[in-house]
Structure formats: structure tokens, C-alpha cells
Amino acid sequence: MTTIEVTASRSYPVEIGHGLLDSLGSKAAALVRGRRAAIVSDSAVYPLYGGAVQDSLAAAGFQVCAFVFPQGEQSKNGETYLRLLSFLAEHGLTRADLLVALGGGVTGDLTGFAAATYLRGVAYVQVPTTLLAMVDSSVGGKTAIDLPAGKNLAGAFYQPSLVLCDTALLATLPRPIFRDGCAEAIKYGILRGGSLFRALQEPRSWEAPEDLIAQCITIKRDTVGRDEFDTGCRQLLNLGHTIGHAVEAGSGFSLSHGQSIAVGMAAIARAAVSFGLCAPETRDAILDLLGRYDLPTTTDQTPEALCAIALGDKKRQGNTITLAVPREIGRCELLTIPVEALGDWIREGIS
Ligand code: MG
């Protein structure tokens, strides 16, 4: 098992290892005074692991209830959120009790936001079940729900009390969902370079995933530790995301987050070459790596349509937008451009 300590407004361990799920109850019992726990999970994950989580919590003395919602991003909305808050109230959860997010990014974001706001804040534990949630979304305390106007528009920075990454859970993960997580891992590889980038070039490295996951989380931990509230260097973690989010929304969410940010990372690399900020070899290394995971690097959507969506993104600040730009593998920089220039970046990136 690997343990990574995150130091932010709340400090907590991220534990990574095979078969950790059974230890959840005893670890949770040490975190809170209360003995009620609400598991929050979706209709695909709960049937697989809900029983084991329930048993582990019950064995540690918790009275357990479970809120299960339909799988998918479309559930990450205000309606599900309010139903979850009402569920917690009806089951008598107090500020001394605990929420357990059992699932991928949608579950983690929804549960975290409920934990941030229910009774003005209760403790929660992240038990990520997808690779994407393990390497990225379960750590760092960004929580949110979507609004009709866009993704993640209502949310809070609210750190979990524990993140438990049981790599055994990856065994049931469908291949395309696994690749989604690889796209976020590739983002960390481009940011850090070196041995992480080289390991990712060999997809067989994932046969022993603990070390790769730990390396990604360490980068995230270091970044969040310096900029918890996303006003500075944490924006580097948005590499590929400004254009990627537009691609994702523009596809009507038929493209996954991982596929979309793959297109976004390819696009920003191409544009960086066009603007003389990055060598063609660096771009080619990025495109080649994405290709090794069968991730897309192009889109049929027009630059104009993508630009219109991107300008509605919350990463925009007034009349400027900050892009994370690859300069070389292992060195990315933030570049703030006027919003009028974004169209040029997108055009250079996707054509
Ligand atoms: Mg992401």
C-alpha cells in the first residue's frame, strides 16, 4: 500500500493499494464521532461493491443507509443533489456522521458538494471506482453539480477526510472507461515528463497500476498544496481542458471527458507549435502517446462552435482566459490571452 498525505485546508491521506475496501469501516470509524454513514453511489457501481462497503462499515459499528442514483453525468444536477440532501435529513445524519462516495467522478463531485453543504459541512470519504477518479477527481476537494447552463457551475472547494483507492476495483472497469482515466494520467505525464511519461508510453505499465496512480496523485497533491483554490499554478491541471470541455459539451456529452480532453491536449499542442511555443517533436510525442491508448486527437466540430462554447466556460476571467500550454514534455506554462485570441488557438489546434 502507498499512502500520500495531502496538505490543504484539511489534511488527509490518500491510500492506494489492492484490496483496501475491507478496511474502509475501521478507517472511517477513526475519522468521525458519529456512527451513521450514508453511502452515495450509482446504479452501475452499487450492485458491484455496495454490499462490501456496507458490510465493512457495519462491522465497524456504523448504521448504514445508501442513496443510489441513475448512472451518468445527467444525474449530476440540482434535482439529484436536493434529493440527496433530503435523504440525509430523513435518515437523521448529524454533523458528526459520514458520507461515503462510492463511484467515479460524478459520484465524487455530487457527494462532495452535498457534504460541503449539508448542515454546513459533514465529513466524507472518497472511494473512487474508476481510474479517472483515482488519478484525478477524488483528490483535491473540487466538488460540484452541473447547471442547465453548463458543467460544474455550482460547487465548493471541500476536501475529503480520506481517499481510499482500491486498485482491485479496476478489474470490473469497462475498457473505454479505463481509457478515460488514462487520458488524465497522460495529462500528468505531459506536466511532469521523465519516468512517468516514459512509463505511460508502455500501456502494459498499467498491469501494476499502483505506482502510476501514486505518481499522478503526487503531482496533484503538490499542485493543490500550493494553490488549493485554483487561482494560480493549479490551473496547469487544466491542460487540455479549455478546448476539451468545449469538445465535450459540443458533442452533447456523447464524447466522454477523457476522450474530450485528449482532443483538447492534442489541439493545444498543435496550436503551441503554430505559435512557436513548442517544438514539433513535443507535439508529436503527445499525439503519439494519445494514439497508443486509442484516444481521439481530432474533432469534426467547427472552431467557431467550439469557441462559442469555450467562452462560456468558468475558466474565463473577465476579458482574458488562461491556457495551460506545453512548452516541452515535463514543462507546461500558463498563458493568459485576450478572449478574442481564443478562436485563433482553437483554429490552429483542430485544423
Ligand atoms: Mg478532468
Side-chain angles (χ1 to χ4, degrees):
M1 186 183 83
T2 308
T3 301
I4 297 167
E5 286 292 333
V6 180
T7 310
S9 50
R10 171 187 288 123
S11 297
Y12 54 96
V14 181
E15 299 187 355
I16 309 151
H18 193 271
L20 292 181
L21 203 55
D22 292 343
S23 67
L24 172 65
S26 56
K27 286 169 181 158
L31 295 173
V32 291
R33 284 178 296 112
R35 281 299 171 264
R36 278 180 208 270
I39 302 168
V40 182
S41 193
D42 72 30
S43 53
V45 170
Y46 190 77
L48 293 174
Y49 302 115
V53 169
Q54 199 143 24
D55 290 350
S56 176
L57 290 165
F62 283 98
Q63 211 178 315
V64 188
C65 55
F67 179 88
V68 181
F69 63 88
Q71 187 192 26
E73 181 80 27
Q74 65 281 358
S75 284
K76 206 176 103 176
N77 59 26
E79 191 209 322
T80 313
Y81 164 73
L82 288 177
R83 278 203 296 120
L84 171 53
L85 294 187
S86 295
F87 175 90
L88 301 174
E90 282 157 17
H91 284 79
L93 265 85
T94 72
R95 293 185 72 177
D97 295 318
L98 183 72
L99 306 193
V100 176
L102 174 67
V106 168
T107 302
D109 283 7
L110 171 71
T111 309
F113 188 46
T117 49
Y118 178 68
L119 304 179
R120 300 194 183 93
V122 295
Y124 75 113
V125 171
Q126 291 271 20
V127 184
T129 60
T130 65
L131 180 61
L132 191 147
M134 289 184 191
V135 297
D136 194 53
S137 63
S138 66
V139 177
K142 277 194 184 177
T143 77
I145 56 171
D146 302 336
L147 298 180
K151 261 181 74 134
N152 297 332
L153 292 186
F157 291 97
Y158 191 68
Q159 303 292 338
S161 296
L162 167 70
V163 181
L164 206 65
C165 291
D166 183 346
T167 54
L169 309 192
L170 296 173
T172 56
L173 205 59
R175 207 61 210 166
I177 299 183
F178 184 79
R179 279 202 293 266
D180 261 11
C182 295
E184 291 284 3
I186 288 169
K187 175 187 81 177
Y188 288 108
I190 297 168
L191 289 170
R192 185 56 57 98
S195 61
L196 176 58
F197 193 86
R198 285 192 297 276
L200 289 169
Q201 285 175 317
E202 179 46 75
R204 288 175 65 101
S205 303
W206 288 106
E207 285 168 15
E210 185 173 321
D211 180 55
L212 286 178
I213 294 169
Q215 288 194 57
C216 293
I217 292 175
T218 301
I219 298 168
K220 181 143 194 189
R221 184 274 310 271
D222 293 346
T223 312
V224 170
R226 278 185 275 143
D227 178 25
E228 180 176 2
F229 300 107
D230 205 12
T231 57
C233 66
R234 188 168 181 174
Q235 295 177 71
L236 285 169
L237 303 183
N238 291 332
L239 178 67
H241 280 61
T242 301
I243 299 174
H245 278 157
V247 169
E248 190 176 5
S251 76
F253 296 94
S254 63
L255 274 184
S256 67
H257 182 68
Q259 290 173 313
S260 302
I261 67 154
V263 174
M265 288 188 285
I268 201 74
R270 285 192 202 97
V273 172
S274 293
F275 291 114
L277 297 171
C278 163
E281 297 74 37
T282 299
R283 169 200 64 200
D284 294 345
I286 292 171
L287 294 179
D288 171 76
L289 182 54
L290 294 167
R292 290 181 194 214
Y293 290 86
D294 292 323
L295 288 161
T297 56
T298 56
T299 173
D300 294 338
Q301 299 176 55
T302 66
E304 293 71 31
L306 292 174
C307 192
I309 299 170
L311 290 179
D313 197 289
K314 64 182 176 328
K315 289 172 181 54
R316 174 181 172 175
Q317 289 159 343
N319 292 319
T320 62
I321 194 158
T322 298
L323 299 172
V325 177
R327 302 298 305 267
E328 33 186 292
I329 301 302
R331 184 165 70 91
C332 296
E333 286 175 6
L334 293 174
L335 183 70
T336 299
I337 60 169
V339 289
E340 303 83 63
L342 183 64
D344 295 335
W345 279 79
I346 294 178
R347 222 166 290 119
E348 294 297 328
I350 69 168
S351 47

